């Protein structure tokens, strides 16, 4: 995978402390630890606000984890493109029907360590059902899904349980989504 902000020594060494201080100032806390697993899909839910990204990034700094994320391809154009890549972004063109799941599963198979965060809603807007790409990436790559969350009601975020997909997507999604009951995004009307 590409070099990211986490590869920069000053950022890697300074940002955990800065993030902890910032969290203390704004009243947020990290709950739980990142699992000691080399490869997994980290789902991020609920995803209702632009604030999800900086708060999630701070949690990654505090946890000392190098986490990649997939974003709309338009985020990677113009002057912000290099910054988005440096922050661990992987551009995704949602207009094209391509083999994103297979491509990401191959990336996992060819990596010794890899964490990619995926918001299952796929957008900050209200959706009727989750996109399932995160599930099929984990299933094909034979890696677990870690249930990451941001709860704006309690000002807490972190990693919940580690979930191993069984291939029965209907039952698995019920169990995964049950974990998120009671967790409130910044804009709960978009959940």
């Amino acid at each position: 995978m590409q070099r990211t902000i986490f590869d920069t020594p000053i950022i890697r060494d300074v940002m955990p402390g800065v993030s902890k201080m910032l969290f203390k100032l704004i009243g947020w806390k990290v709950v739980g630890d990142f699992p000691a697993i080399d490869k997994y899909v980290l789902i991020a839910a609920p995803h209702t606000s632009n604030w999800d990204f900086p708060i999630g990034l701070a949690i990654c700094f505090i946890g000392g984890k190098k986490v990649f994320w997939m974003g709309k391809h338009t985020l990677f154009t113009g002057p912000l493109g290099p910054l988005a890549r440096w922050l661990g972004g992987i551009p995704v063109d949602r207009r094209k029907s391509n083999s994103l799941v297979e491509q990401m599963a191959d990336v996992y198979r060819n990596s010794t360590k890899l964490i990619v965060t995926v918001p299952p809603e796929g957008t900050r807007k209200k959706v009727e059902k989750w996109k399932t790409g995160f599930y099929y990436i984990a299933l094909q790559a034979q890696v677990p899904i870690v249930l990451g969350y941001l709860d704006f009601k309690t000002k807490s975020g972190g990693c919940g349980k580690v979930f191993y997909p069984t291939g029965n997507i209907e039952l698995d999604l019920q169990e995964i989504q049950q974990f998120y009951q009671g967790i409130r995004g910044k804009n709960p009307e978009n959940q």
Side-chain angles (χ1 to χ4, degrees):
M1 291 298 305
Q2 74 238 19
R3 291 182 56 78
T4 67
I5 193 171
F6 299 96
D7 298 317
T8 309
I10 189 76
I11 300 295
R12 184 183 59 234
D13 298 336
V14 173
M15 286 309 290
V18 170
S19 296
K20 286 178 188 175
M21 186 175 66
L22 178 66
F23 264 33
K24 189 170 186 162
L25 285 172
I26 64 173
W28 272 75
K29 62 184 174 288
V30 178
V31 178
D33 295 320
F34 282 87
I37 303 169
D38 289 335
K39 298 190 286 188
Y40 53 89
V41 173
L42 175 64
I43 59 173
H47 181 40
T48 66
S49 163
N50 286 333
W51 283 104
D52 298 347
F53 182 77
I55 292 172
L57 189 60
I59 290 171
C60 293
F61 283 134
I62 292 168
K65 290 296 181 183
K66 179 178 181 177
V67 178
F68 292 89
W69 51 277
M70 292 187 286
K72 194 184 322 183
H73 70 285
T74 55
L75 294 172
F76 298 86
T77 59
L80 294 180
L83 177 63
R85 284 183 179 80
W86 187 59
L87 288 170
I90 302 166
V92 175
D93 189 345
R94 294 185 288 190
R95 298 171 304 176
K96 296 180 179 177
S97 177
N98 56 22
S99 59
L100 178 64
V101 168
E102 290 82 11
Q103 290 175 42
M104 287 306 299
D106 283 342
V107 171
Y108 271 98
R109 285 189 283 270
N110 294 321
S111 300
T112 55
K113 290 185 177 191
L114 181 62
I115 304 168
V116 177
T117 188
V118 180
E121 289 122 332
T123 180
R124 294 175 307 277
K125 298 174 188 154
K126 185 171 182 65
V127 297
E128 294 303 315
K129 63 181 195 167
W130 282 6
K131 295 185 180 292
T132 56
F134 77 91
Y135 181 87
Y136 288 110
I137 291 168
L139 188 66
Q140 287 190 26
Q142 297 180 335
V143 298
I145 298 166
V146 174
L147 310 185
Y149 69 95
L150 296 176
D151 189 343
F152 281 79
K153 177 176 55 181
T154 62
K155 290 190 171 183
S156 63
C159 294
K161 66 192 265 185
V162 177
F163 185 85
Y164 291 86
T166 66
N168 185 335
I169 190 166
E170 288 181 21
L171 286 177
D172 288 353
L173 281 180
Q174 282 180 351
E175 186 174 338
I176 290 168
Q177 289 174 330
Q178 185 175 12
F179 170 82
Y180 292 97
Q181 295 299 311
I183 295 175
R184 191 177 83 199
K186 177 150 180 63
N187 299 311
E189 68 277 5
N190 291 342
Q191 286 180 241

